[in-house]
Amino acid sequence: MGNKKIHIITFGCQMNVHDTERMKMIMKHEGYDWSESPDEADLILLNTCSVREGPENKVHSQLGRLKPLKESNKELLFGVTGCVAQQKGEELIKQISYLDLVVGTDAISSLPDVVKKVKESGKAVVQTEFQEREEYQFVEIDTDYNFSKFSDFVTIMKGCNKRCSYCIVPYVRGREISRPVDAILKEIEMMAERGVKEITLLGQTVNSYKYNGVDFASLLHKINEINGIERVRFTSPHPKYFTESVMDAISELDKVMEHIHYPLQSGSNDVLKHMRRQYNSELYLSQIEYMKNKMPQLEITTDIIVGYPTETATDFEETLKVMKIVEFDNSFSFLYSPRPMTPIYDMEDPIPEDEKKERLYKLKELQEEISKSRTSKLIGSIQEVLIEEENDGRDKNQFSGRSRGNRKVFIDDITGYKLGDIVNVKIISGSVHALKGEIVSPK
Ligand code: 5AD
Ligand code: SF4
């Protein structure tokens, strides 16, 4: 009999993408090979997101779509992992009769045990307990396990100690715990040995990292010393911990890329205060100014919530104002979505739906204009690109990678170079989402 097969469908953020990889690795030890399609899998997991209602609802529609597979294969196991698993636990089993397991965000390592228990008992199993700080173990990556060839994620902390009024994350990801420095450095060294060139440090508020006196800035300094690693990124920083030493490290360390994903959420101080964001627009803007003075080529992307229950038309204008000052390269904007467990879940929401949608439309229109203008400034410039992928083109294959500023760059011809090389590319055209260019020289 051949190996068993696992298929995981991932929703949400990079944290979840990385958790999926870790679950693949853990289940490989148990004899489960990866299956590209759910049709051939013996175990199908939905690694879920509950940050807004939209992604949460996808769990139910996706499971419904997969249900026929279960009817044709009685051995097949269905599981829900990630944030919705943590949020709903037992309730999911009650709602979805054909679900076999629910594994929360702290319980990834117990996945093999849970699968065994389900098989032995023939009953659904739920594991959603948070681990205490003293017991919490970060999943260590096997020395021979390749997540991705040239660019990979490294978890440096888990959970979140902030209590932003709208956000469910602290309740589904638990308290913040920083991973030991040595384990982080060891993992990155191991990745470098396998040929990884770029790493992205992951944490809910990544720059609040602190372990035995090592803060985020000193961690960046240590990582910058690792031979073989050429590029360092991180996501997402919180303005409260964007200290001068963090900003100086970003601008001074050659391997730290000139891109930050810097969630603003709102440009209005009244709204920020109600959101309990712990900064105001003046602080945010002064940090951006400090960084741009040191790194004029810095690219900045952001997250913005539109239609927060207390957001007035004037508050919204404040957000547009900040957007115009910062000139974000791109922004991810979301309509406010009330989330269970959060302090403002039940709050009255006086803004009419049409008004919210109009605001969102306006914001997206402004962003498009800014993005276009930012992109046009890159045409003709030389951008350093890590060639990461070969993509199927219509007539011939194309290659793609990312610039230091995190723009996707397409290249038609890489003759003389190979995947994993870092090259200088002259940009010949571009849209909001991608640039196109030709290689002019090695890095
Ligand atoms: N409603 C809308 N957007 C939200 N986000 C987080 N919680 C909510 C919510 N309740 C957005 C924030 C965050 C991003 C990941 O999702 O902008 O930065
Ligand atoms: Fe979604 Fe947030 Fe959970 Fe990531 S941490 S999966 S964005 S709810």
Side-chain angles (χ1 to χ4, degrees):
M1 207 180 87
N3 266 358
K4 293 216 168 279
K5 290 200 162 149
I6 181 171
H7 182 78
I8 310 177
I9 301 164
T10 312
F11 302 92
C13 63
Q14 281 136 318
M15 207 77 74
N16 263 15
V17 173
H18 191 46
D19 282 347
T20 290
E21 287 301 334
R22 298 196 279 193
M23 290 192 279
K24 268 161 85 171
M25 182 192 80
I26 289 170
M27 292 313 286
K28 199 163 169 42
H29 294 179
E30 306 296 311
Y32 280 81
D33 286 337
W34 176 249
S35 164
E36 281 300 331
S37 131
D39 301 349
E40 284 127 41
D42 305 281
L43 172 62
I44 300 176
L45 300 178
L46 263 61
N47 192 13
T48 59
C49 171
S50 52
V51 78
R52 287 173 300 275
E53 199 183 351
E56 186 191 317
N57 287 342
K58 282 193 200 152
V59 177
H60 294 272
S61 53
Q62 187 66 253
L63 273 171
R65 234 171 286 146
L66 293 169
K67 194 178 170 196
L69 289 178
K70 186 94 177 170
E71 281 152 11
S72 59
N73 176 5
K74 296 280 174 245
E75 298 289 300
L76 172 64
L77 297 184
F78 271 165
V80 173
T81 63
C83 294
V84 178
Q86 189 65 47
Q87 177 196 342
K88 299 207 158 166
E90 202 75 46
E91 193 187 328
L92 278 175
I93 300 285
K94 287 191 190 126
Q95 283 174 343
I96 308 161
S97 59
Y98 51 96
L99 195 59
D100 300 292
L101 52 111
V102 175
V103 170
T105 51
D106 259 13
I108 289 182
S109 324
S110 67
L111 193 56
D113 269 356
V114 172
V115 170
K116 264 184 220 138
K117 273 190 203 150
V118 173
K119 284 188 180 164
E120 280 163 18
S121 68
K123 285 195 195 124
V125 175
V126 178
Q127 170 62 271
T128 51
E129 258 165 58
F130 278 127
Q131 291 172 14
E132 290 303 318
R133 175 179 292 275
E134 299 72 36
E135 292 161 17
Y136 189 82
Q137 292 282 340
F138 285 88
V139 177
E140 299 299 333
I141 308 303
D142 300 348
T143 40
D144 59 349
Y145 194 84
N146 252 28
F147 284 165
S148 141
K149 272 201 156 113
F150 309 114
S151 180
D152 222 332
F153 295 122
V154 178
T155 301
I156 69 163
M157 65 190 325
K158 76 123 221 164
C160 180
N161 279 358
K162 295 269 142 301
R163 290 290 177 272
C164 301
S165 63
Y166 53 82
C167 188
I168 195 174
V169 170
Y171 312 97
V172 291
R173 290 265 174 189
R175 307 259 326 149
E176 176 184 306
I177 301 179
S178 289
R179 188 175 175 198
V181 185
D182 288 350
I184 296 172
L185 298 178
K186 207 173 103 207
E187 186 168 303
I188 300 175
E189 279 161 12
M190 196 175 83
M191 286 173 169
E193 273 167 34
R194 287 200 320 256
V196 170
K197 300 275 174 67
E198 176 180 282
I199 51 155
T200 302
L201 309 176
L202 294 179
Q204 227 69 54
T205 52
V206 73
N207 52 333
S208 68
Y209 176 86
K210 191 141 205 153
Y211 188 85
N212 278 356
V214 177
D215 63 5
F216 186 63
S218 24
L219 184 68
L220 286 178
H221 278 271
K222 288 179 194 292
I223 294 172
N224 199 63
E225 296 300 309
I226 298 178
N227 283 335
I229 294 297
E230 310 255 4
R231 298 175 145 207
V232 180
R233 304 184 186 278
F234 53 88
T235 195
S236 294
H238 188 288
K240 185 172 176 191
Y241 309 94
F242 226 62
T243 55
E244 266 187 32
S245 63
V246 168
M247 294 193 279
D248 291 345
I250 297 169
S251 61
E252 284 157 20
L253 298 172
D254 56 327
K255 294 182 183 174
V256 180
M257 294 294 98
E258 291 83 12
H259 167 244
I260 46 169
H261 181 68
Y262 204 36
L264 169 69
Q265 311 302 2
S266 169
S268 149
N269 285 344
D270 288 342
V271 173
L272 287 171
K273 192 159 185 202
H274 201 279
M275 286 178 165
R276 305 187 195 161
R277 286 291 288 172
Q278 303 184 320
Y279 58 85
N280 54 27
S281 65
E282 288 77 17
L283 177 73
Y284 187 96
L285 287 171
S286 69
Q287 291 168 334
I288 297 284
E289 197 185 340
Y290 185 90
M291 302 263 297
K292 280 204 164 177
N293 274 336
K294 292 194 147 214
M295 277 182 287
Q297 72 280 37
L298 180 71
E299 300 199 30
I300 307 163
T301 53
T302 198
D303 291 340
I304 294 173
I305 298 177
V306 174
Y308 186 81
T310 68
E311 185 185 77
T312 62
T314 325
D315 290 324
F316 177 65
E317 289 300 322
E318 293 289 314
T319 300
L320 299 184
K321 226 189 265 169
V322 174
M323 286 174 68
K324 284 181 196 155
I325 299 174
V326 178
E327 293 192 274
F328 294 111
D329 290 272
N330 204 356
S331 63
F332 302 89
S333 41
F334 314 100
L335 280 182
Y336 167 70
S337 164
R339 299 283 61 214
M341 299 191 260
T342 60
I344 61 161
Y345 180 52
D346 289 326
M347 193 176 154
E348 204 186 327
D349 182 0
I351 316 170
E353 209 52 34
D354 284 356
E355 171 71 30
K356 286 187 194 176
K357 287 193 178 140
E358 203 170 305
R359 287 183 198 171
L360 187 67
Y361 182 78
K362 239 178 155 175
L363 189 147
K364 284 186 190 285
E365 225 178 19
L366 172 64
Q367 183 57 56
E368 179 125 357
E369 203 182 293
I370 298 173
S371 295
K372 269 193 191 143
S373 130
R374 294 279 304 165
T375 301
S376 69
K377 288 185 185 139
L378 297 174
I379 314 256
S381 72
I382 306 286
Q383 298 289 324
E384 187 199 284
V385 176
L386 165 64
I387 317 172
E388 282 179 75
E389 282 181 328
E390 187 166 0
N391 314 85
D392 291 337
R394 212 176 298 156
D395 322 317
K396 59 176 185 162
N397 283 2
Q398 255 192 339
F399 298 86
S400 70
R402 294 212 167 248
S403 69
R404 292 178 70 94
N406 207 31
R407 298 255 186 168
K408 185 140 188 144
V409 181
F410 285 99
I411 308 164
D412 277 339
D413 182 7
I414 63 161
T415 309
Y417 300 93
K418 58 185 183 320
L419 295 181
D421 283 349
I422 299 179
V423 290
N424 287 322
V425 173
K426 178 153 191 192
I427 303 303
I428 44 180
S429 63
S431 69
V432 173
H433 302 291
L435 303 172
K436 195 168 173 190
E438 289 162 357
I439 300 179
V440 289
S441 68
K443 179 185 158 188

